[in-house]
Amino acid sequence: INKIFKPRKRVQEGGKNSQNRKVTDFYPIRRSSRKSKTELKWEQKKLIDDLITKGIEEGMEVQHIEGKGRAVFATQCFQKGDYIVEYHGDLLQITDAKKREAEYAQNPATGCYMYYFQYLCKTYCVDATKETSRMGRLINHSKNGNCQTKLHDINGVPHLILVASRDIDKGEELLYDYGDRSKASIAAHPWLKY
């Protein structure tokens, strides 16, 4: 018996008779509309940039407390990590800040709202002593505050902001730790102990 050998036809991959077709040959590629962490962080930074540059301060109000003075209270809920407000004032280099601080010391009635911080190996100060309508300068001290300071860069310029260090309920006083533990400061301002 003579068998005739018939070679199988080889079909090139991807041809019309191929068994190895891709799913995308039948269904279009569907791209996710979800944003990456990087995109979300960039959008959040842009939002904070706008709030700072436009001086928008929402979700809080100033109230007067007998025996304490002015205080800032939340008029909305904030979640941990949320931007609260900028500690707004004149941004000074250390030498200019020390000169101003010496001037303020001449008149005890002036008060001092100077916040020193390090940024890119330099010491800066935000001087918020001048009375303005901005609320960041009026947030009071507590060692167990519900806010914390954070640096926020806009085009290479540092901005001192306050963010929620925990969830904050509507009606709560906004507080943060001033961080000053020097004996002289505590003697002059005993409330820094608490």
Side-chain angles (χ1 to χ4, degrees):
I1 302 178
N2 285 340
K3 286 189 179 181
I4 301 173
F5 177 72
K6 289 185 179 178
R8 286 189 195 176
K9 275 189 175 180
R10 284 187 100 161
V11 178
Q12 289 184 341
E13 210 173 293
K16 58 183 174 185
N17 295 329
S18 173
Q19 298 290 328
N20 297 328
R21 308 254 346 231
K22 297 177 193 165
V23 172
T24 54
D25 291 341
F26 301 101
Y27 302 102
I29 295 174
R30 195 171 54 113
R31 301 279 182 212
S32 173
S33 60
R34 289 186 293 177
K35 295 177 182 176
S36 69
K37 282 185 181 180
T38 306
E39 287 175 302
L40 292 171
K41 279 185 177 180
W42 185 84
E43 284 180 2
Q44 182 67 21
K45 183 191 177 326
K46 260 335 241 170
L47 176 68
I48 294 171
D49 287 358
D50 286 347
L51 292 171
I52 290 170
T53 54
K54 294 175 183 173
I56 297 170
E57 299 181 341
E58 298 174 324
M60 63 198 117
E61 68 181 7
V62 177
Q63 294 179 15
H64 185 80
I65 298 175
E66 195 64 41
K68 188 175 186 178
R70 293 178 291 181
V72 181
F73 286 82
T75 59
Q76 70 178 44
C77 294
F78 291 98
Q79 291 182 328
K80 182 178 179 175
D82 282 355
Y83 168 82
I84 306 288
V85 70
E86 179 187 15
Y87 188 84
H88 181 77
D90 297 332
L91 181 64
L92 306 171
Q93 302 247 353
I94 183 100
T95 50
D96 296 329
K98 290 294 181 187
K99 287 177 192 171
R100 271 206 203 171
E101 195 169 13
E103 289 172 22
Y104 295 151
Q106 301 298 316
N107 183 1
T110 303
C112 187
Y113 295 75
M114 300 181 87
Y115 193 104
Y116 290 87
F117 63 93
Q118 295 278 320
Y119 180 71
L120 300 177
C121 303
K122 284 186 176 181
T123 302
Y124 290 93
C125 173
V126 174
D127 179 7
T129 304
K130 183 180 175 185
E131 191 69 44
T132 68
S133 61
R134 304 297 288 269
M135 288 187 261
R137 66 186 293 278
L138 300 177
I139 295 178
N140 289 316
H141 166 80
S142 172
K143 279 187 179 178
N144 302 312
N146 49 20
C147 299
Q148 64 190 33
T149 57
K150 186 176 173 184
L151 289 175
H152 184 86
D153 179 287
I154 300 178
N155 300 323
V157 178
H159 292 262
L160 192 62
I161 64 171
L162 293 165
V163 297
S165 57
R166 62 169 174 77
D167 290 350
I168 300 171
D169 292 326
K170 183 178 178 179
E172 268 190 79
E173 183 180 1
L174 299 174
L175 302 160
Y176 74 102
D177 187 350
Y178 291 179
D180 193 350
R181 304 282 188 268
S182 70
K183 286 184 179 181
S185 293
I186 290 173
H189 310 289
W191 45 263
L192 283 171
K193 288 188 275 188
Y194 307 105

